[in-house]
Amino acid sequence: MRLFRFLKRESDLTEEIESHLNMAIADRVARGQSPADARKSAIHEFGNVPMVADATRDHGVGYGWSY
């Protein structure tokens, strides 16, 4: 049962990060950047995606508890 909760939280975290990146990309495209440039700059501003996920996971942000 813990495995399923873990996998669900991982899925939710991935979805949340992708959502933030997609919003940042859409905002940049709306301001005139090409989709490729918008993606590059959004990822650059967001930072190292796996490291952000690890930090979020380590601090239990959005999980209600650390695991």
Side-chain angles (χ1 to χ4, degrees):
M1 193 106 164
R2 281 182 72 175
L3 176 61
F4 295 117
R5 283 190 303 234
F6 170 80
L7 293 174
K8 172 71 171 129
R9 287 192 302 260
E10 285 298 303
S11 175
D12 290 348
L13 178 58
T14 299
E15 187 177 310
E16 185 73 19
I17 289 171
E18 288 175 0
S19 174
H20 283 281
L21 283 172
N22 287 334
M23 286 187 288
I25 292 166
D27 184 51
R28 285 166 171 74
V29 169
R31 288 186 281 155
Q33 281 188 324
S34 72
D37 288 341
R39 181 166 179 71
K40 281 183 197 176
S41 66
I43 289 171
H44 179 75
E45 182 180 319
F46 192 83
N48 183 320
V49 173
M51 192 163 65
V52 170
D54 287 345
T56 302
R57 208 177 296 111
D58 290 346
H59 295 306
V61 176
Y63 292 115
W65 66 87
S66 295
Y67 53 103

